[in-house]
Amino acid sequence: MNSLITNELIKTWYRNRVKMFLIVMTALYLIIAFSLRFFMNENAIPTAGSFLITSQTIINGTFLLFYGVIITTSSITSEFHKGTIKQLAIRPISRVKILASKLISGFIALLALMVLYNIVIYLVSVLLFDASNAPENLLVTALTACLYKIPVYLFYLALSVIIGTLFKSTIIAVVLFFVIDSVGGMVTGLITMLEWNASYFIYPNLMLESYSDNTLINDPNMQGLFGAGESLTFSLMIILVYSLVLGAIGFFRFQRQDIA
Amino acid sequence: MSSKPLIVRNLTKSFKRKTIIDDLSFELDKGKIYGFLGPNGAGKTTTIRMLVSLLHADKGDIIVNGYDLKKDRSNALARIGAVVENPEMYNLMSGMENLRHFARMHKPKISQERIDELVEFVELKGAINDKVKTYSLGMKQRLGIAQALLHKPNVLILDEPTNGLDPKGIRQLRAYLRTLAKDEEVTVLVSTHLLSETEMMCDEVLIIQDGKFVKQFSVGEESSDKTVKALFRATSNEELIPVLEEFGTVEQDHKYIVLSGIQQEQIPTIIATASERGVLLYEVILKDTLEDQFLELTGGESA
């Protein structure tokens, strides 16, 4: 299994141009951070705390998640498009293991990027911006915010697996990602308006930050906007159930299908 | 353990209620090269895909070195090496990275020495660290063969391996396969539509049509008791025709005189008779006998 994951990580490095992603993302982030710090009106410069949490929301919640979805989906779809899936499926290794190695390596790649970028985010926030009046310990805040994102990553990668195996299309995965990300709130609102219980819908349960008592992570002004689920454990269970069901369908499909 | 490296029994597969492979059975022997022939749509590729577990058979058994592909998938697949259709590789990685990638998928671990040995064998040493996207089709084919041999399989399956190869490449491939069959006792199953190629490359021929088994025979053996065709070119073709007409049916080609319906053993007599009558021969070509047999067996459709 380890060697399969090694294979997948190597292919990801080449296929998804990780080097390019790292360079562009880091450069953009640094340019934005420096512009905010040095070209903005003195009074409007954000504090370290708010810069930290905004960066994390944008990078962890959108860019990395999005990239992780692409990495995982394309690790499945590109094998089909290029025909290399045949070379994998004729090895004395079960198809379940092949797909599992793709899911796990997608997760590893995403976590590695998360660790890397959050170190950058933390350092930039603390070194460039004013951290003297922070209401919370910024290091603890940065770590906690990351932890809240991990179950969300799990859900989206399970979604990637099912889309990769059922539709063999990275584009559908990308579109669905944006749909869930942007329409999810509206649908939740709609369900609530119709006085149905939105707790079992996945979207509100992905807002794990709303369970935090850290005032930076769980901004009181934002509370209730998305109609959070019932409790942290409840939301984690919902995420787990959705992920398992999606993953199981994907694995079942991959196991049974004829490769032409 | 069965002594046969590959046994196929009552294999059946349908797509959308259309039967593609119909109760197909055959057995292959150790260290022989088999040509897998059939008209287009006969089910060659479908059969091959079932042999390597890309497609699931509806019915029937595939037994590789005594291991049932259905019940003991990884043991069976560990003994098969294959290139199915085009040798698709990871284009952004080098040839060596591709080989290492596939090597990691086998147990026990495949040594770097084994990889180097194969690179040497398929003569890719100079280009092995270049990205695969820079490779010619012939080089990709050779890399494909190398990756199929990494784990020292007992059975090597090649689907249309001569597609897109130039004559030199085809000759090389023939040499590789001969060496493998002779020195390492690998059983090779080659699907192809080039009959002349098959005749030169293979020990035995396996013909299927409409998903059914038609015939399996040795390439050399069968042709001796069959009637054959021969092409003649003489100092004077006009004078040769009456001579040949004594032996069989004569047709005039643009360059050759085609004599059909003769036995292969008659040819020396024919040559002697012609020279006795003062007609001297430049060339006598024994025509592609496999092609004739093939057409006869499959009812005239081309391969």
Side-chain angles (χ1 to χ4, degrees):
Chain A
M1 196 66 192
N2 283 341
S3 51
L4 292 184
I5 294 172
T6 311
N7 275 351
E8 291 306 323
L9 289 173
I10 293 174
K11 284 186 277 184
T12 295
W13 176 262
Y14 288 105
R15 180 184 53 235
N16 299 103
R17 303 178 196 278
V18 179
K19 197 163 47 173
M20 204 55 159
F21 179 83
L22 290 175
I23 294 171
V24 172
M25 270 286 286
T26 315
L28 270 180
Y29 183 67
L30 291 179
I31 290 171
I32 291 171
F34 275 88
S35 322
L36 281 178
R37 175 66 184 82
F38 295 109
F39 300 115
M40 259 186 114
N41 185 326
E42 198 68 33
N43 303 319
I45 295 177
T47 62
S50 78
F51 185 76
L52 174 79
I53 217 69
T54 312
S55 305
Q56 284 192 310
T57 307
I58 295 170
I59 291 183
N60 294 346
T62 305
F63 282 91
L64 292 188
L65 182 53
F66 184 48
Y67 194 52
V69 167
I70 291 180
I71 286 178
T72 312
T73 316
S74 66
S75 79
I76 301 165
T77 57
S78 79
E79 304 268 12
F80 278 97
H81 289 161
K82 301 210 175 97
T84 44
I85 188 71
K86 287 181 290 186
Q87 305 278 26
L88 297 185
I90 62 172
R91 308 285 151 183
I93 288 173
S94 72
R95 289 195 188 173
V96 171
K97 272 193 183 172
I98 291 176
L99 191 56
S101 70
K102 291 179 179 297
L103 176 61
I104 295 171
S105 64
F107 201 56
I108 292 175
L110 188 49
L111 287 188
L113 288 170
M114 187 192 214
V115 169
L116 181 74
Y117 274 106
N118 283 279
I119 291 174
V120 173
I121 291 172
Y122 176 75
L123 291 179
V124 168
S125 306
V126 176
L127 297 178
L128 279 187
F129 298 93
D130 176 23
S132 53
N133 295 320
E136 306 274 353
N137 180 323
L138 290 183
L139 188 59
V140 173
T141 304
L143 282 170
T144 320
C146 285
L147 286 180
Y148 278 121
K149 272 286 170 267
I150 289 176
V152 178
Y153 286 176
L154 180 71
F155 166 74
Y156 275 99
L157 294 196
L159 188 68
S160 309
V161 165
I162 192 175
I163 293 169
T165 50
L166 286 190
F167 304 111
K168 317 237 168 20
S169 159
T170 312
I171 313 246
I172 293 183
V174 169
V175 170
L176 212 62
F177 171 85
F178 276 114
V179 169
I180 294 183
D181 206 40
S182 55
V183 183
M186 286 194 278
V187 175
T188 313
L190 194 70
I191 294 176
T192 321
M193 249 162 52
L194 291 168
E195 295 186 357
W196 294 342
N197 188 353
S199 318
Y200 293 98
F201 183 51
I202 185 69
Y203 190 75
N205 291 297
L206 291 175
M207 304 294 145
L208 294 174
E209 286 84 353
S210 61
Y211 299 116
S212 174
D213 48 17
N214 182 314
T215 52
L216 281 169
I217 293 176
N218 184 10
D219 189 338
N221 300 326
M222 299 280 283
Q223 226 165 36
L225 195 63
F226 299 112
E230 319 241 314
S231 71
L232 181 60
T233 326
F234 178 84
S235 289
L236 288 177
M237 286 309 292
I238 292 286
I239 293 178
L240 190 67
V241 169
Y242 268 78
S243 308
L244 284 179
V245 169
L246 292 177
I249 298 172
F251 272 84
F252 181 75
R253 167 82 179 136
F254 189 69
Q255 175 70 15
R256 297 297 298 272
Q257 78 184 153
D258 282 344
I259 297 172
Chain B
M1 261 265 256
S2 162
S3 58
K4 300 265 184 191
L6 183 70
I7 301 172
V8 173
R9 251 188 247 134
N10 311 108
L11 201 61
T12 304
K13 173 84 182 172
S14 330
F15 289 113
K16 292 175 185 157
R17 275 181 281 158
K18 196 174 168 241
T19 308
I20 305 291
I21 300 297
D22 192 358
D23 205 29
L24 180 66
S25 302
F26 60 85
E27 294 183 357
L28 305 186
D29 283 321
K30 209 169 171 183
K32 279 192 182 171
I33 303 179
Y34 291 85
F36 191 33
L37 303 177
N40 285 332
K44 287 171 293 185
T45 301
T46 308
T47 307
I48 285 182
R49 284 174 184 224
M50 283 194 279
L51 293 180
V52 293
S53 90
L54 289 175
L55 301 180
H56 304 285
D58 297 339
K59 251 184 19 207
D61 299 309
I62 294 166
I63 295 160
V64 190
N65 257 50
Y67 295 103
D68 187 328
L69 184 63
K70 232 182 312 175
K71 297 186 199 116
D72 211 347
R73 184 176 178 272
S74 52
N75 270 323
L77 287 181
R79 275 142 194 98
I80 297 186
V83 183
V84 182
E85 280 181 328
N86 305 318
E88 272 98 4
M89 296 287 158
Y90 300 103
N91 283 331
L92 296 173
M93 308 196 322
S94 71
M96 183 54 89
E97 282 170 318
N98 269 282
L99 290 179
R100 288 202 185 116
H101 169 275
F102 291 117
R104 277 189 216 104
M105 300 188 80
H106 289 279
K107 267 181 210 158
K109 200 170 174 288
I110 291 164
S111 65
Q112 182 63 43
E113 288 78 57
R114 172 69 181 160
I115 298 176
D116 293 338
E117 184 189 313
L118 283 168
V119 170
E120 194 100 24
F121 177 61
V122 297
E123 296 164 47
L124 275 176
K125 214 170 174 200
I128 200 65
N129 291 317
D130 297 345
K131 290 201 166 159
V132 170
K133 66 176 172 190
T134 65
Y135 283 21
S136 68
L137 190 53
M139 290 161 85
K140 281 187 193 166
Q141 289 277 15
R142 281 184 276 156
L143 188 63
I145 291 173
Q147 65 77 27
L149 292 173
L150 283 168
H151 53 298
K152 301 194 175 168
N154 301 104
V155 182
L156 177 65
I157 297 175
L158 303 173
D159 192 3
E160 304 277 358
T162 49
N163 260 3
L165 284 189
D166 58 12
K168 184 173 164 246
I170 295 180
R171 181 179 291 188
Q172 268 175 339
L173 179 71
R174 205 156 62 211
Y176 297 150
L177 297 186
R178 276 269 150 252
T179 316
L180 281 173
K182 206 163 136 254
D183 299 351
E184 305 195 21
E185 295 204 299
V186 177
T187 302
V188 188
L189 182 67
V190 187
S191 100
T192 173
H193 57 265
L194 295 178
L195 294 165
S196 53
E197 237 355 279
T198 311
E199 208 164 24
M200 275 193 271
M201 201 187 281
C202 302
D203 303 309
E204 286 199 23
V205 175
L206 188 73
I207 298 179
I208 66 167
Q209 188 179 22
D210 299 328
K212 293 192 187 91
F213 178 85
V214 175
K215 198 167 187 182
Q216 184 171 354
F217 57 88
S218 294
V219 171
E221 254 168 47
E222 190 78 3
S223 56
S224 58
D225 58 85
K226 295 279 287 186
T227 57
V228 296
K229 250 188 211 174
L231 307 182
F232 293 84
R233 189 160 69 85
T235 41
S236 159
N237 278 358
E238 285 69 36
E239 287 173 41
L240 182 62
I241 292 175
V243 180
L244 295 183
E245 272 171 346
E246 294 168 21
F247 294 91
T249 327
V250 175
E251 279 169 81
Q252 178 101 43
D253 202 342
H254 65 285
K255 188 174 166 195
Y256 296 104
I257 300 171
V258 184
L259 177 62
S260 50
I262 52 163
Q263 303 276 311
Q264 196 177 324
E265 295 77 46
Q266 285 179 287
I267 290 176
T269 323
I270 299 172
I271 298 171
T273 316
S275 57
E276 274 166 30
R277 313 241 178 115
V279 187
L280 299 177
L281 295 166
Y282 287 112
E283 279 180 273
V284 180
I285 303 165
L286 191 57
K287 233 210 115 202
D288 213 359
T289 54
L290 185 60
E291 185 177 309
D292 297 331
Q293 288 179 57
F294 178 82
L295 293 176
E296 200 178 301
L297 287 168
T298 59
E301 292 170 65
S302 70

